[in-house]
Coordinates of all heavy atoms in Angstrom, one line a residue:
L1 N 121.7 90.1 88.6 CA 122.7 89.8 89.6 C 122.5 90.7 90.9 O 122.6 90.3 92.0 CB 124.1 89.9 89.1 CG 125.2 89.5 90.0 CD1 125.1 88.0 90.4 CD2 126.5 89.7 89.4
E2 N 122.4 92.0 90.6 CA 122.2 93.0 91.7 C 120.9 92.7 92.4 O 121.0 92.8 93.7 CB 122.2 94.4 91.1 CG 123.5 94.9 90.6 CD 123.4 96.3 90.1 OE1 122.4 97.0 90.4 OE2 124.2 96.7 89.2
N3 N 119.9 92.4 91.7 CA 118.6 92.2 92.4 C 118.8 90.9 93.3 O 118.2 90.9 94.4 CB 117.5 91.9 91.4 CG 116.2 92.0 92.0 OD1 116.0 92.4 93.1 ND2 115.2 91.7 91.2
K4 N 119.4 89.9 92.9 CA 119.6 88.7 93.7 C 120.4 89.0 95.0 O 120.0 88.5 96.0 CB 120.4 87.6 92.9 CG 120.5 86.3 93.6 CD 121.0 85.1 92.7 CE 121.1 83.9 93.3 NZ 121.7 82.8 92.4
N5 N 121.5 89.8 94.8 CA 122.2 90.2 96.1 C 121.4 91.0 97.0 O 121.5 90.8 98.2 CB 123.5 91.0 95.6 CG 124.5 90.1 94.9 OD1 124.5 88.9 95.1 ND2 125.3 90.8 94.1
N6 N 120.5 91.8 96.5 CA 119.6 92.6 97.4 C 118.7 91.7 98.1 O 118.4 92.0 99.3 CB 118.9 93.7 96.7 CG 119.9 94.8 96.2 OD1 120.8 95.1 96.8 ND2 119.5 95.5 95.1
K7 N 118.2 90.7 97.4 CA 117.3 89.8 98.1 C 118.0 89.0 99.2 O 117.5 88.9 100.3 CB 116.7 88.8 97.0 CG 115.6 89.4 96.2 CD 115.0 88.3 95.3 CE 113.9 88.9 94.4 NZ 113.3 87.9 93.4
T8 N 119.2 88.7 98.9 CA 120.0 87.9 99.9 C 120.3 88.7 101.1 O 120.2 88.3 102.2 CB 121.4 87.5 99.2 OG1 121.0 86.7 98.1 CG2 122.1 86.6 100.2
S9 N 120.7 90.0 100.9 CA 121.0 90.9 102.0 C 119.7 91.2 102.8 O 119.8 91.3 104.0 CB 121.7 92.2 101.5 OG 120.7 92.8 100.8
A10 N 118.6 91.4 102.2 CA 117.3 91.6 102.9 C 116.9 90.4 103.7 O 116.5 90.5 104.8 CB 116.2 92.0 101.9
A11 N 117.1 89.2 103.2 CA 116.8 88.1 103.9 C 117.7 87.8 105.1 O 117.4 87.4 106.2 CB 116.9 86.8 102.9
A12 N 119.0 88.2 104.9 CA 120.0 88.1 106.0 C 119.7 89.1 107.1 O 119.7 88.8 108.3 CB 121.4 88.3 105.5
A13 N 119.2 90.2 106.7 CA 118.9 91.2 107.7 C 117.6 90.8 108.5 O 117.5 91.0 109.7 CB 118.6 92.6 107.1
A14 N 116.6 90.2 107.7 CA 115.4 89.8 108.4 C 115.8 88.6 109.3 O 115.2 88.5 110.4 CB 114.5 89.3 107.3
A15 N 116.6 87.7 109.0 CA 117.0 86.6 109.8 C 117.7 87.0 111.1 O 117.5 86.5 112.1 CB 117.9 85.6 109.0
S16 N 118.6 88.0 110.9 CA 119.3 88.4 112.1 C 118.4 89.2 113.1 O 118.4 88.9 114.3 CB 120.5 89.4 111.7 OG 120.0 90.5 111.2
S17 N 117.5 90.0 112.5 CA 116.5 90.7 113.4 C 115.4 89.7 114.0 O 115.0 89.9 115.1 CB 115.8 91.8 112.6 OG 115.1 91.3 111.6
R18 N 115.2 88.6 113.2 CA 114.3 87.6 113.7 C 114.8 86.9 115.0 O 114.1 86.7 115.9 CB 114.1 86.6 112.6 CG 112.9 85.5 113.0 CD 112.7 84.6 111.9 NE 112.0 85.3 110.8 CZ 112.0 84.9 109.5 NH1 112.6 83.9 109.1 NH2 111.4 85.7 108.5
A19 N 116.1 86.7 115.0 CA 116.7 86.0 116.2 C 116.6 87.0 117.4 O 116.4 86.5 118.5 CB 118.2 85.6 115.9
V20 N 116.9 88.2 117.2 CA 116.8 89.2 118.2 C 115.4 89.3 118.8 O 115.1 89.3 120.0 CB 117.3 90.6 117.8 CG1 117.0 91.7 118.8 CG2 118.8 90.5 117.4
M21 N 114.5 89.3 117.8 CA 113.1 89.4 118.2 C 112.6 88.2 119.0 O 111.8 88.3 119.9 CB 112.1 89.6 117.0 CG 112.2 91.0 116.4 SD 111.0 91.4 115.2 CE 111.7 90.5 113.7
K22 N 113.1 87.0 118.6 CA 112.7 85.8 119.3 C 113.2 85.8 120.7 O 112.4 85.4 121.7 CB 113.3 84.6 118.6 CG 112.9 83.3 119.0 CD 113.4 82.1 118.2 CE 112.9 80.8 118.7 NZ 113.4 79.7 117.8
K23 N 114.5 86.3 121.0 CA 115.0 86.4 122.3 C 114.2 87.4 123.2 O 113.8 87.0 124.3 CB 116.4 86.9 122.3 CG 117.4 85.8 121.9 CD 118.8 86.4 122.0 CE 119.8 85.3 121.5 NZ 121.2 85.8 121.5
Q24 N 113.8 88.4 122.6 CA 113.0 89.5 123.3 C 111.6 88.9 123.6 O 111.1 89.0 124.7 CB 112.8 90.7 122.5 CG 114.1 91.5 122.4 CD 113.8 92.7 121.4 OE1 112.9 92.7 120.7 NE2 114.8 93.6 121.4
R25 N 111.0 88.1 122.7 CA 109.7 87.5 122.9 C 109.8 86.6 124.0 O 108.8 86.5 124.9 CB 109.2 86.8 121.6 CG 107.8 86.2 121.8 CD 107.3 85.5 120.6 NE 108.0 84.2 120.5 CZ 108.6 83.7 119.4 NH1 108.6 84.4 118.3 NH2 109.2 82.5 119.5
K26 N 110.9 85.7 124.0 CA 110.9 84.7 125.1 C 111.1 85.4 126.5 O 110.4 84.9 127.5 CB 112.2 83.8 124.9 CG 112.0 82.8 123.8 CD 113.1 81.9 123.6 CE 112.9 80.9 122.5 NZ 114.0 79.9 122.4
R27 N 111.9 86.4 126.6 CA 112.0 87.2 127.8 C 110.7 87.7 128.2 O 110.3 87.6 129.4 CB 113.1 88.2 127.7 CG 114.4 87.8 127.7 CD 115.5 88.9 127.7 NE 116.7 88.5 127.2 CZ 117.5 89.1 126.3 NH1 117.1 90.1 125.8 NH2 118.7 88.6 126.0
R28 N 110.1 88.4 127.3 CA 108.8 89.0 127.6 C 107.7 87.9 128.1 O 107.0 88.1 129.0 CB 108.3 89.7 126.4 CG 107.3 90.8 126.6 CD 107.0 91.7 125.5 NE 108.1 92.4 124.9 CZ 108.6 92.3 123.7 NH1 108.0 91.6 122.8 NH2 109.6 93.1 123.4
T29 N 107.6 86.8 127.4 CA 106.7 85.7 127.7 C 106.9 85.2 129.2 O 106.0 85.1 129.9 CB 106.9 84.5 126.7 OG1 106.5 85.0 125.4 CG2 105.9 83.3 127.1
V30 N 108.2 85.0 129.5 CA 108.5 84.5 130.9 C 108.2 85.5 131.9 O 107.5 85.2 132.9 CB 110.0 84.1 131.0 CG1 110.4 83.9 132.4 CG2 110.4 82.9 130.1
S31 N 108.5 86.8 131.7 CA 108.2 87.9 132.6 C 106.7 88.0 132.8 O 106.2 88.2 133.9 CB 108.9 89.1 132.3 OG 108.4 89.6 131.1
M32 N 106.0 88.0 131.7 CA 104.5 88.2 131.8 C 103.9 86.9 132.5 O 102.9 87.1 133.2 CB 103.9 88.4 130.4 CG 104.3 89.8 129.8 SD 103.9 91.2 130.9 CE 102.2 91.3 130.8
G33 N 104.4 85.8 132.2 CA 104.0 84.6 132.9 C 104.1 84.7 134.4 O 103.2 84.3 135.2
V34 N 105.3 85.2 134.9 CA 105.6 85.3 136.3 C 104.7 86.4 136.9 O 104.1 86.1 138.0 CB 107.0 85.7 136.5 CG1 107.3 86.1 137.9 CG2 107.9 84.5 136.1
I35 N 104.5 87.5 136.2 CA 103.6 88.5 136.7 C 102.2 88.0 136.8 O 101.4 88.2 137.8 CB 103.7 89.8 135.8 CG1 105.1 90.5 136.0 CG2 102.6 90.8 136.1 CD1 105.3 91.5 134.9
G36 N 101.7 87.3 135.7 CA 100.3 86.7 135.7 C 100.2 85.7 136.8 O 99.2 85.6 137.5
G37 N 101.2 84.9 137.0 CA 101.2 83.9 138.1 C 101.1 84.5 139.5 O 100.3 84.0 140.3
T38 N 101.8 85.6 139.6 CA 101.8 86.3 141.0 C 100.4 86.9 141.2 O 99.8 86.7 142.3 CB 102.8 87.4 141.0 OG1 104.0 86.7 140.7 CG2 102.8 88.1 142.3
A39 N 99.8 87.5 140.2 CA 98.5 88.1 140.3 C 97.5 87.0 140.5 O 96.5 87.1 141.3 CB 98.1 88.8 139.0
G40 N 97.6 85.9 139.8 CA 96.7 84.7 140.0 C 96.8 84.1 141.3 O 95.8 83.7 142.0
L41 N 98.0 84.1 142.0 CA 98.1 83.6 143.3 C 97.4 84.4 144.3 O 96.8 83.9 145.2 CB 99.7 83.5 143.6 CG 100.0 82.9 145.0 CD1 99.6 81.5 145.1 CD2 101.5 83.1 145.2
L42 N 97.5 85.7 144.1 CA 96.9 86.6 145.0 C 95.4 86.5 145.0 O 94.7 86.6 145.9 CB 97.3 88.1 144.7 CG 98.7 88.5 145.0 CD1 99.1 89.8 144.6 CD2 99.1 88.3 146.5
V43 N 94.8 86.3 143.8 CA 93.4 86.2 143.6 C 92.8 84.9 143.8 O 91.8 84.8 144.5 CB 93.0 86.8 142.2 CG1 91.5 86.6 141.8 CG2 93.4 88.2 141.9
G44 N 93.5 83.9 143.2 CA 92.8 82.5 143.2 C 93.6 81.4 143.9 O 93.3 80.2 143.6
G45 N 94.7 81.7 144.6 CA 95.5 80.7 145.2 C 96.4 80.0 144.2 O 96.7 80.5 143.1
P46 N 96.8 78.8 144.6 CA 97.7 78.1 143.7 C 97.2 77.8 142.3 O 97.9 77.8 141.4 CB 98.1 76.9 144.5 CG 97.8 77.1 145.9 CD 96.7 78.2 145.9
L47 N 96.0 77.3 142.3 CA 95.4 77.0 141.0 C 95.3 78.3 140.1 O 95.5 78.2 138.9 CB 94.0 76.3 141.2 CG 94.1 74.9 141.7 CD1 92.7 74.3 141.9 CD2 94.9 74.0 140.9
G48 N 94.9 79.3 140.8 CA 94.8 80.6 140.0 C 96.1 81.0 139.5 O 96.3 81.5 138.4
A49 N 97.2 80.8 140.2 CA 98.6 81.2 139.8 C 98.9 80.4 138.6 O 99.4 81.0 137.6 CB 99.5 80.9 141.0
V50 N 98.7 79.1 138.6 CA 99.0 78.3 137.4 C 98.1 78.7 136.2 O 98.7 78.9 135.1 CB 98.8 76.7 137.8 CG1 98.9 75.9 136.5 CG2 99.8 76.3 138.8
A51 N 96.8 78.8 136.4 CA 95.9 79.1 135.3 C 96.3 80.5 134.7 O 96.4 80.7 133.5 CB 94.5 79.1 135.8
V52 N 96.4 81.5 135.5 CA 96.6 82.9 135.0 C 98.0 83.0 134.5 O 98.2 83.7 133.5 CB 96.3 83.9 136.2 CG1 96.6 85.3 135.7 CG2 94.8 83.8 136.6
G53 N 98.9 82.5 135.2 CA 100.3 82.5 134.6 C 100.5 81.9 133.3 O 101.1 82.5 132.4
F54 N 99.9 80.7 133.1 CA 100.0 80.0 131.9 C 99.2 80.8 130.8 O 99.8 80.9 129.7 CB 99.4 78.6 132.0 CG 99.5 77.8 130.7 CD1 100.7 77.2 130.3 CD2 98.4 77.6 130.0 CE1 100.8 76.5 129.0 CE2 98.4 76.8 128.8 CZ 99.7 76.3 128.4
G55 N 98.1 81.2 131.1 CA 97.2 81.9 130.1 C 98.0 83.2 129.7 O 98.0 83.6 128.5
T56 N 98.5 84.0 130.7 CA 99.2 85.2 130.3 C 100.4 84.9 129.4 O 100.7 85.6 128.4 CB 99.7 85.9 131.6 OG1 98.5 86.1 132.5 CG2 100.4 87.2 131.4
A57 N 101.2 83.8 129.7 CA 102.3 83.5 129.0 C 102.0 83.1 127.4 O 102.5 83.6 126.5 CB 103.1 82.4 129.5
V58 N 100.9 82.4 127.4 CA 100.5 82.0 126.0 C 100.0 83.1 125.2 O 100.3 83.3 124.0 CB 99.3 80.8 126.1 CG1 98.6 80.6 124.8 CG2 99.9 79.6 126.7
I59 N 99.2 84.0 125.8 CA 98.7 85.2 125.1 C 99.9 86.1 124.7 O 99.9 86.6 123.6 CB 97.6 85.9 125.9 CG1 96.3 85.1 126.0 CG2 97.3 87.3 125.4 CD1 95.4 85.6 127.1
T60 N 100.8 86.3 125.6 CA 101.9 87.2 125.3 C 102.7 86.6 124.2 O 103.2 87.3 123.3 CB 102.8 87.3 126.5 OG1 102.0 87.8 127.6 CG2 104.0 88.2 126.3
K61 N 102.9 85.3 124.1 CA 103.7 84.6 123.0 C 103.0 84.8 121.7 O 103.7 85.1 120.7 CB 103.9 83.1 123.3 CG 104.7 82.4 122.3 CD 104.9 81.0 122.7 CE 105.7 80.2 121.8 NZ 106.0 78.8 122.2
R62 N 101.7 84.7 121.7 CA 100.9 84.8 120.4 C 101.0 86.2 119.9 O 101.2 86.5 118.7 CB 99.5 84.3 120.6 CG 99.3 82.9 120.6 CD 97.9 82.5 120.7 NE 97.7 81.0 120.8 CZ 96.7 80.4 120.9 NH1 95.5 81.1 120.9 NH2 96.6 79.0 121.0
I63 N 100.8 87.2 120.8 CA 100.9 88.6 120.4 C 102.3 88.9 119.8 O 102.5 89.6 118.9 CB 100.5 89.5 121.5 CG1 99.1 89.4 121.9 CG2 100.9 90.9 121.3 CD1 98.6 90.0 123.2
G64 N 103.3 88.4 120.6 CA 104.7 88.7 120.1 C 104.9 88.1 118.8 O 105.7 88.7 117.9
K65 N 104.5 86.9 118.5 CA 104.7 86.3 117.2 C 104.1 87.1 116.1 O 104.6 87.3 115.0 CB 104.3 84.8 117.2 CG 105.2 83.9 117.8 CD 104.7 82.4 117.5 CE 105.7 81.5 118.1 NZ 105.4 80.0 117.7
C66 N 102.9 87.6 116.3 CA 102.1 88.4 115.4 C 102.9 89.6 115.1 O 103.0 90.0 113.9 CB 100.7 88.7 115.8 SG 99.6 87.3 115.8
K67 N 103.4 90.3 116.1 CA 104.2 91.5 115.9 C 105.5 91.3 115.2 O 105.9 92.1 114.4 CB 104.5 92.2 117.3 CG 103.3 92.8 117.9 CD 103.6 93.5 119.2 CE 102.4 94.1 119.8 NZ 102.7 94.9 121.0
E68 N 106.2 90.1 115.4 CA 107.3 89.8 114.7 C 107.1 89.6 113.3 O 107.8 90.1 112.4 CB 107.9 88.5 115.3 CG 108.6 88.7 116.6 CD 109.0 87.3 117.2 OE1 109.3 86.3 116.4 OE2 109.2 87.2 118.3
R69 N 106.0 88.9 112.9 CA 105.7 88.7 111.5 C 105.5 90.0 110.8 O 105.9 90.2 109.7 CB 104.4 87.8 111.4 CG 104.8 86.3 111.7 CD 103.5 85.5 111.5 NE 103.7 84.2 112.1 CZ 102.9 83.8 113.1 NH1 101.8 84.5 113.5 NH2 103.1 82.7 113.7
Q70 N 104.7 90.9 111.5 CA 104.4 92.2 110.9 C 105.7 93.0 110.7 O 105.9 93.6 109.6 CB 103.5 92.9 111.8 CG 103.0 94.3 111.3 CD 102.1 95.0 112.2 OE1 101.9 94.5 113.3 NE2 101.6 96.1 111.8
A71 N 106.6 93.0 111.6 CA 107.8 93.7 111.5 C 108.7 93.2 110.4 O 109.3 93.9 109.6 CB 108.6 93.7 112.8
I72 N 108.7 91.9 110.3 CA 109.6 91.3 109.2 C 108.9 91.6 107.8 O 109.6 91.9 106.8 CB 109.7 89.7 109.4 CG1 110.6 89.5 110.6 CG2 110.2 89.1 108.2 CD1 110.6 88.0 111.1
R73 N 107.6 91.5 107.7 CA 106.9 91.9 106.4 C 107.2 93.4 106.1 O 107.5 93.6 104.9 CB 105.4 91.7 106.6 CG 105.0 90.4 106.1 CD 103.4 90.4 106.1 NE 103.0 89.5 107.2 CZ 102.1 89.8 108.2 NH1 101.7 91.0 108.2 NH2 101.9 89.0 109.0
E74 N 107.2 94.3 107.0 CA 107.5 95.7 106.8 C 109.0 95.8 106.3 O 109.3 96.6 105.4 CB 107.2 96.5 108.0 CG 105.8 96.7 108.3 CD 105.5 97.4 109.6 OE1 106.6 97.7 110.3 OE2 104.3 97.6 110.0
K75 N 110.0 95.1 107.0 CA 111.3 95.2 106.5 C 111.5 94.7 105.1 O 112.2 95.3 104.3 CB 112.2 94.4 107.5 CG 112.4 95.1 108.8 CD 113.4 94.3 109.6 CE 113.7 95.1 110.9 NZ 114.7 94.4 111.7
I76 N 110.8 93.6 104.8 CA 110.9 93.0 103.4 C 110.4 94.0 102.4 O 111.0 94.3 101.4 CB 110.4 91.7 103.4 CG1 111.2 90.7 104.1 CG2 110.2 91.2 101.9 CD1 110.5 89.3 104.3
Q77 N 109.2 94.6 102.8 CA 108.7 95.6 101.9 C 109.5 96.8 101.6 O 109.7 97.3 100.5 CB 107.2 95.9 102.3 CG 106.2 94.9 102.2 CD 104.8 95.4 102.8 OE1 104.7 96.3 103.5 NE2 103.9 94.5 102.6
N78 N 110.1 97.3 102.7 CA 111.0 98.4 102.6 C 112.1 98.1 101.8 O 112.7 98.9 101.1 CB 111.4 98.9 104.0 CG 110.3 99.5 104.8 OD1 109.2 100.0 104.2 ND2 110.3 99.6 106.1
A79 N 112.7 96.9 102.0 CA 113.9 96.5 101.2 C 113.5 96.4 99.7 O 114.3 96.9 98.8 CB 114.4 95.2 101.6
K80 N 112.3 95.9 99.4 CA 111.9 95.9 98.0 C 111.7 97.2 97.4 O 112.1 97.5 96.3 CB 110.5 95.1 97.9 CG 110.6 93.6 98.1 CD 109.3 92.9 97.9 CE 109.4 91.5 98.1 NZ 108.1 90.8 98.0
K81 N 111.1 98.1 98.2 CA 111.0 99.5 97.7 C 112.3 100.2 97.4 O 112.5 100.8 96.5 CB 110.2 100.4 98.7 CG 108.7 100.0 98.8 CD 108.0 100.8 99.9 CE 106.6 100.4 100.0 NZ 105.9 101.2 101.1
A82 N 113.3 100.0 98.3 CA 114.6 100.6 98.2 C 115.3 100.0 97.0 O 115.9 100.7 96.1 CB 115.4 100.4 99.4
T83 N 115.1 98.7 96.7 CA 115.7 98.0 95.6 C 115.1 98.6 94.3 O 115.8 98.9 93.3 CB 115.5 96.5 95.7 OG1 116.1 96.1 96.8 CG2 116.1 95.8 94.4
T84 N 113.8 98.7 94.3 CA 113.1 99.3 93.1 C 113.6 100.7 92.8 O 113.8 101.0 91.7 CB 111.6 99.2 93.3 OG1 111.2 97.9 93.6 CG2 110.8 99.7 92.1
R85 N 113.7 101.5 93.9 CA 114.1 102.9 93.7 C 115.5 102.9 93.1 O 115.9 103.6 92.1 CB 114.1 103.6 95.0 CG 112.8 104.3 95.2 CD 112.9 105.3 96.5 NE 112.1 104.6 97.5 CZ 112.5 104.2 98.7 NH1 113.7 104.5 99.1 NH2 111.7 103.6 99.5
A86 N 116.4 102.1 93.6 CA 117.7 102.1 93.2 C 117.8 101.6 91.7 O 118.6 102.1 90.9 CB 118.6 101.1 94.0
L87 N 117.2 100.6 91.4 CA 117.1 100.1 90.0 C 116.5 101.2 89.0 O 117.0 101.3 87.9 CB 116.3 98.8 89.9 CG 116.9 97.6 90.5 CD1 116.0 96.4 90.5 CD2 118.2 97.2 89.8
T88 N 115.5 101.9 89.5 CA 115.0 102.9 88.6 C 116.0 104.0 88.4 O 116.1 104.5 87.3 CB 113.6 103.5 89.3 OG1 112.8 102.5 89.5 CG2 113.0 104.6 88.4
E89 N 116.7 104.4 89.5 CA 117.7 105.5 89.3 C 118.8 105.0 88.3 O 119.3 105.8 87.5 CB 118.3 105.8 90.6 CG 117.4 106.5 91.6 CD 117.9 106.8 93.0 OE1 119.1 106.4 93.2 OE2 117.2 107.3 93.9
I90 N 119.2 103.8 88.4 CA 120.3 103.2 87.6 C 119.7 103.2 86.2 O 120.5 103.7 85.2 CB 120.7 101.8 88.0 CG1 121.4 101.8 89.3 CG2 121.4 101.2 86.9 CD1 121.6 100.5 89.9
Q91 N 118.5 102.9 85.9 CA 118.0 102.9 84.5 C 117.9 104.3 84.0 O 118.2 104.5 82.8 CB 116.6 102.3 84.5 CG 116.6 100.8 84.7 CD 115.2 100.1 84.8 OE1 114.3 100.8 85.0 NE2 115.1 98.8 84.8
E92 N 117.5 105.3 84.8 CA 117.4 106.6 84.4 C 118.8 107.2 84.0 O 119.0 107.9 83.1 CB 116.8 107.5 85.4 CG 115.3 107.3 85.7 CD 114.8 108.0 86.8 OE1 115.5 108.7 87.6 OE2 113.6 107.9 87.1
Q93 N 119.9 106.9 84.8 CA 121.2 107.2 84.5 C 121.7 106.7 83.2 O 122.3 107.4 82.5 CB 122.1 106.8 85.7 CG 121.9 107.6 87.0 CD 122.8 107.1 88.1 OE1 123.5 106.0 88.0 NE2 122.7 107.7 89.3
Q94 N 121.4 105.4 83.0 CA 121.7 104.8 81.7 C 121.1 105.4 80.5 O 121.7 105.7 79.5 CB 121.4 103.3 81.8 CG 122.3 102.5 82.7 CD 121.8 101.0 82.8 OE1 120.8 100.6 82.4 NE2 122.8 100.2 83.4
Q95 N 119.8 105.8 80.7 CA 119.1 106.4 79.6 C 119.7 107.8 79.3 O 119.8 108.2 78.2 CB 117.6 106.6 79.9 CG 116.8 105.3 79.9 CD 115.4 105.6 80.3 OE1 115.0 106.6 80.8 NE2 114.6 104.4 80.2
Q96 N 120.1 108.6 80.4 CA 120.7 109.9 80.2 C 122.1 109.8 79.5 O 122.4 110.5 78.7 CB 120.9 110.5 81.6 CG 119.6 111.0 82.2 CD 119.8 111.6 83.5 OE1 120.9 111.6 84.1 NE2 118.7 112.1 84.1
Q97 N 122.8 108.7 79.9 CA 124.1 108.5 79.3 C 123.9 108.2 77.8 O 124.7 108.6 76.9 CB 124.9 107.3 79.9 CG 125.4 107.8 81.3 CD 126.0 106.6 82.0 OE1 125.9 105.4 81.5 NE2 126.6 106.8 83.2
Q98 N 122.9 107.4 77.4 CA 122.7 107.0 76.0 C 122.3 108.3 75.2 O 122.7 108.4 74.1 CB 121.5 106.0 75.9 CG 122.0 104.6 76.3 CD 120.8 103.6 76.3 OE1 119.7 103.9 76.1 NE2 121.2 102.3 76.5
Q99 N 121.5 109.1 75.8 CA 121.0 110.3 75.2 C 122.3 111.3 74.9 O 122.4 111.9 73.9 CB 120.0 111.1 76.0 CG 118.6 110.4 76.0 CD 117.6 111.1 76.9 OE1 118.0 112.0 77.6 NE2 116.4 110.6 76.9
Q100 N 123.1 111.3 76.0 CA 124.3 112.1 75.8 C 125.2 111.7 74.7 O 125.8 112.4 73.9 CB 125.1 112.3 77.1 CG 124.4 113.1 78.1 CD 125.2 113.0 79.5 OE1 126.1 112.3 79.6 NE2 124.7 113.8 80.5
Q101 N 125.3 110.3 74.6 CA 126.1 109.7 73.6 C 125.6 109.9 72.2 O 126.3 110.2 71.3 CB 126.3 108.2 73.8 CG 127.2 107.9 75.0 CD 127.3 106.4 75.3 OE1 126.5 105.6 74.7 NE2 128.1 106.1 76.3
E102 N 124.2 109.9 72.1 CA 123.6 110.1 70.9 C 123.8 111.5 70.4 O 123.9 111.8 69.2 CB 122.1 109.7 70.9 CG 121.8 108.3 71.0 CD 120.4 108.0 71.3 OE1 119.6 108.9 71.3 OE2 120.0 106.8 71.4
E103 N 123.7 112.5 71.3 CA 123.9 113.9 71.0 C 125.3 114.2 70.6 O 125.6 115.0 69.8 CB 123.5 114.7 72.3 CG 122.1 114.8 72.6 CD 121.8 115.5 73.9 OE1 122.7 116.1 74.5 OE2 120.6 115.6 74.2
E104 N 126.3 113.4 71.2 CA 127.7 113.6 70.8 C 127.9 113.2 69.4 O 128.7 113.7 68.7 CB 128.6 113.0 71.9 CG 128.7 113.6 73.1 CD 129.5 112.8 74.2 OE1 130.0 111.6 73.8 OE2 129.6 113.2 75.3
V105 N 127.3 112.0 69.1 CA 127.4 111.4 67.7 C 126.8 112.5 66.6 O 127.4 112.6 65.6 CB 126.8 110.1 67.6 CG1 126.7 109.6 66.3 CG2 127.5 109.1 68.6
E106 N 125.8 113.1 66.9 CA 125.1 113.9 66.0 C 125.9 115.2 65.9 O 126.6 115.8 65.2 CB 123.8 114.4 66.5 CG 122.8 113.2 66.4 CD 121.4 113.5 67.0 OE1 121.2 114.7 67.5 OE2 120.5 112.7 67.1

């Protein structure tokens, strides 16, 4: 039961951070598209603005998605490690309690 709750909380944390990362990615994509479009306009005129702006936006979006996936994977791995550590500590405490009870009986 505890393990299931930890998975749920880790998934909820990942989902909430995913929404924040998505908003940041969208803002970054638009801003980089505008910057690329401006640079393209200066170098290649209107066609250069469209081509460079679109290309910059697409590349920025792909890079952002890769970074998001990596960050989410790291969060999930950290949550798993924390859960494993907590469960190990609980098991050790239970073993110590059992040993103490056995010593009291003897």
Side-chain angles (χ1 to χ4, degrees):
L1 184 63
E2 289 178 21
N3 194 12
K4 186 176 182 180
N5 290 337
N6 286 334
K7 284 183 181 179
T8 305
S9 63
S16 67
S17 64
R18 185 176 293 159
V20 171
M21 287 188 283
K22 187 174 182 178
K23 284 182 183 179
Q24 290 174 346
R25 183 185 74 227
K26 285 183 178 185
R27 288 185 195 133
R28 202 173 295 124
T29 299
V30 170
S31 63
M32 292 305 290
V34 169
I35 292 169
T38 304
L41 181 63
L42 294 174
V43 174
L47 291 177
V50 172
V52 174
F54 181 75
T56 304
V58 168
I59 290 170
T60 302
K61 184 177 180 179
R62 286 188 182 174
I63 290 170
K65 281 188 174 184
C66 288
K67 287 183 178 181
E68 286 175 22
R69 287 186 198 116
Q70 182 180 6
I72 289 170
R73 265 188 252 120
E74 288 175 1
K75 283 186 178 189
I76 290 172
Q77 287 175 350
N78 290 339
K80 285 181 181 179
K81 287 178 184 177
T83 302
T84 303
R85 269 187 253 123
L87 290 174
T88 304
E89 289 175 7
I90 290 170
Q91 289 174 348
E92 289 173 356
Q93 289 174 356
Q94 288 175 348
Q95 288 175 353
Q96 289 175 354
Q97 289 174 354
Q98 285 177 353
Q99 288 176 354
Q100 290 174 353
Q101 288 174 356
E102 289 175 358
E103 290 174 1
E104 290 175 0
V105 171
E106 293 174 358

